[in-house]
Amino acid sequence: MKIDSTGKVAIFDETGVGNAPFTDPLGNLSRIRFHSDLLTPAVVSVTTYTVTLPSMVENAWRDATVTLGAHGRTGTPMIMGRVRNGSGASWIPLNGSVMLPMYALDGSTTYRLFGAYPSGPPYWQGGDGWRSITLGADATNIVLHEQAQALSKHAGADITHPALTLEIEVTVFDINLDAANPTVGTDPVAVHMSASLVKFQRGKWRSDRRYIRTPAPTPTHYMPLGKTVEVGGGPANKGDLLRSCCHAGPVKFKSAPGQVNDITFDASQQPVSV
Amino acid sequence: MSLRATGGRIEIKSPSGDVVLDTDERLFIASNFVTGSVVRPARSTSYLLTPAGQEQWTPIDVDVTVDLADIHSSAVAVVGSFKVTGTAAVPGSATQAQAANGVRNYGWFTAGGTYVHSAMPMYVFTGSAWVRYPFGLLSAYTFTAGGGKVRLHERTQGNPGSIVLASGSILLSQEEITIDYRLFVGTYV
């Protein structure tokens, strides 16, 4: 661990390279365990919103953006989200467009679930119903975009897709996507260490904030390393598909009413604690 | 104590006692900030009865990756935001093919994972009833980082499938779009 008079702090392996990781962290990343020059997104708020996506009848189409609330930051912040439908359900990482299970009542007698046929990763047949949500933020608000189609018609029965109430948890970070982010804090003291609080580089890094860390025995979020939805490749005679993929699992998503849809995803996202 | 160093391991805890830095773990760092825009061309798929009685299916199957910028060779994760702009999609002819165009013209959205832009199933009115066909134009985009590059992957698929019409034609089109991006790419140290 090395500290200089500017408040720069680094923890690194100096074997054979001396001070190089301290002066050039990006050029020596494999030797760095911590460096206050590096940008480490810090959590500034976590807010849970409740959203009800309305019921849909067959042949209906939705394309809407809902304002969840103000984020209170200057500029457009980096955010991460996760979604569940009810407190008993597991959180699903809200990375990219999340394909939601979609439910239908055929003439109020037969209950259908789209998105879990026949087993394994959920998929949505092009000719059936599907619903997806995408999380975003502008310079003022957190927003959620929904697009959906309810196109199914089976054996002449009228179909209604029930409303779906979701909890959306949004974590806001101190990263501004509209402008350069500060490389040094504004504290008068270069380094602060007390029994309860540590601050490096004039307060740029603070121990009273949370950062994105891995491995995570109990992950709160998943950082995507690639695709989270796959297009095509479904079973024969099922047409074109959208399939959720690449989530670590298993993930439970409660269907309505009272069912639990077990979804097992590929484990190719990085589990992290935030 | 908020900072503890023992046995080659350094651990820092928050005032509430939660670990916020542990050198036995890895911390996400953003190595590059990448901004720019990329244009993706229009896509279409069709089913034609031309001449009468002869079916012509024109599926589309795009699986392409576009390099956007050089980044740190260790970077593997993408966070940040993107924005899609474009004009209205062209609906199918003689059909009720509605166009799904994702977050087009809605502002900035989170960039990690796969964004589903276009998904247009087909529902055809035959004159007396709506008939569902396994037909659609699906399009999804994913920002990825690896090998010193940040990239945009496009997967578009449209397959007329088993459509049988007595007459007429179907055309599903997705317009050209521009994707603006502001990405932090990084890795774990």
Side-chain angles (χ1 to χ4, degrees):
Chain A
M1 186 171 187
K2 182 179 175 65
I3 305 174
D4 74 6
S5 59
T6 69
K8 181 189 298 187
V9 176
I11 304 169
F12 58 95
D13 176 8
E14 62 183 358
T15 307
V17 294
N19 210 35
F22 187 76
T23 57
D24 180 18
L26 283 176
N28 296 272
L29 268 188
S30 63
R31 294 174 174 276
I32 297 287
R33 279 291 170 267
F34 174 81
H35 199 300
S36 61
D37 270 357
L38 298 175
L39 198 54
T40 52
V43 176
V44 293
S45 68
V46 180
T47 306
T48 300
Y49 306 94
T50 300
V51 176
T52 298
L53 307 180
S55 64
M56 298 176 69
V57 297
E58 62 187 10
N59 296 325
W61 163 252
R62 279 186 58 76
D63 175 11
T65 293
V66 178
T67 296
L68 299 180
H71 52 66
R73 302 291 295 173
T74 299
T76 303
M78 168 187 160
I79 60 174
M80 293 176 71
R82 54 184 190 170
V83 56
R84 65 180 180 180
N85 66 334
S87 59
S90 298
W91 290 104
I92 292 177
L94 223 173
N95 295 328
S97 301
V98 171
M99 306 304 297
L100 298 174
M102 197 164 184
Y103 316 103
L105 293 168
D106 294 4
S108 301
T109 56
T110 303
Y111 181 77
R112 295 177 183 276
L113 168 64
F114 299 121
Y117 176 90
S119 63
Y123 72 78
W124 284 261
Q125 184 181 347
D128 274 335
W130 61 275
R131 200 164 208 166
S132 77
I133 53 175
T134 309
L135 184 67
D138 58 25
T140 306
N141 291 313
I142 306 293
V143 299
L144 186 76
H145 179 262
E146 175 207 0
Q147 58 178 343
Q149 291 188 326
L151 297 179
S152 296
K153 188 178 183 67
H154 296 271
D158 291 332
I159 290 178
T160 298
H161 297 272
L164 187 60
T165 298
L166 304 173
E167 287 180 309
I168 309 287
E169 184 197 82
V170 179
T171 300
V172 177
F173 293 85
D174 63 348
I175 299 294
N176 184 353
L177 297 170
D178 295 339
N181 288 272
T183 56
V184 180
T186 56
D187 281 6
V189 178
V191 173
H192 170 95
M193 289 191 190
S194 69
S196 60
L197 182 62
V198 174
K199 294 191 286 185
F200 298 145
Q201 206 137 326
R202 299 193 180 281
K204 177 193 174 193
W205 191 93
R206 304 167 55 102
S207 67
D208 58 354
R209 291 183 175 170
R210 288 152 50 199
Y211 300 87
I212 302 171
R213 300 177 297 124
T214 192
T218 309
T220 59
H221 293 77
Y222 294 84
M223 298 274 283
L225 300 175
K227 289 185 291 185
T228 52
V229 174
E230 183 61 276
V231 173
N237 304 319
K238 286 297 178 186
D240 301 319
L241 305 176
L242 293 165
R243 291 179 295 131
S244 290
C245 70
C246 312
H247 294 254
V251 174
K252 290 186 183 298
F253 202 92
K254 290 174 68 178
S255 62
Q259 297 185 19
V260 174
N261 177 28
D262 288 311
I263 302 170
T264 301
F265 298 96
D266 301 331
S268 60
Q269 289 196 80
Q270 182 76 41
V272 296
S273 291
V274 174
Chain B
M1 182 62 187
S2 55
L3 189 150
R4 184 169 181 261
T6 178
R9 179 181 186 181
I10 296 175
E11 193 176 69
I12 298 177
K13 293 184 177 179
S14 70
S16 58
D18 298 324
V19 173
V20 294
L21 176 66
D22 182 345
T23 54
D24 276 6
E25 299 179 337
R26 301 176 69 197
L27 186 68
F28 176 76
I29 64 102
S31 59
N32 301 85
F33 185 50
V34 180
T35 65
S37 65
V38 58
V39 174
R40 302 309 302 150
R43 306 295 190 193
S44 66
T45 182
S46 63
Y47 166 84
L48 305 173
L49 280 175
T50 306
Q54 294 187 20
E55 300 167 344
Q56 295 183 19
W57 295 350
T58 307
I60 185 171
D61 193 344
V62 175
D63 191 345
V64 63
T65 300
V66 180
D67 288 350
L68 301 179
D70 292 334
I71 56 173
H72 195 281
S73 59
S74 299
V76 294
V78 179
V79 294
S81 62
F82 71 96
K83 180 178 73 174
V84 177
T85 52
T87 56
V90 180
S93 59
T95 71
Q96 197 211 11
Q98 290 177 290
N101 286 281
V103 301
R104 172 177 52 84
N105 300 337
Y106 276 120
W108 293 92
F109 289 82
T110 53
T114 300
Y115 155 62
V116 176
H117 174 68
S118 174
M120 296 193 283
M122 179 58 63
Y123 216 73
V124 178
F125 190 66
T126 64
S128 58
W130 291 102
V131 178
R132 179 173 57 92
Y133 291 107
F135 183 98
L137 178 58
L138 311 178
S139 190
Y141 301 90
T142 310
F143 290 102
T144 62
K149 300 280 187 185
V150 61
R151 300 178 171 92
L152 180 70
H153 176 252
E154 177 191 348
R155 184 77 175 95
T156 296
Q157 189 179 63
N159 187 348
S162 58
I163 287 178
V164 179
L165 291 178
S167 63
S169 62
I170 294 169
L171 171 66
L172 287 181
S173 296
Q174 170 189 308
E175 87 278 34
E176 176 185 284
I177 57 171
T178 298
I179 302 176
D180 297 303
Y181 50 88
R182 300 179 299 195
L183 310 175
F184 271 107
V185 295
T187 187
Y188 303 87
V189 298

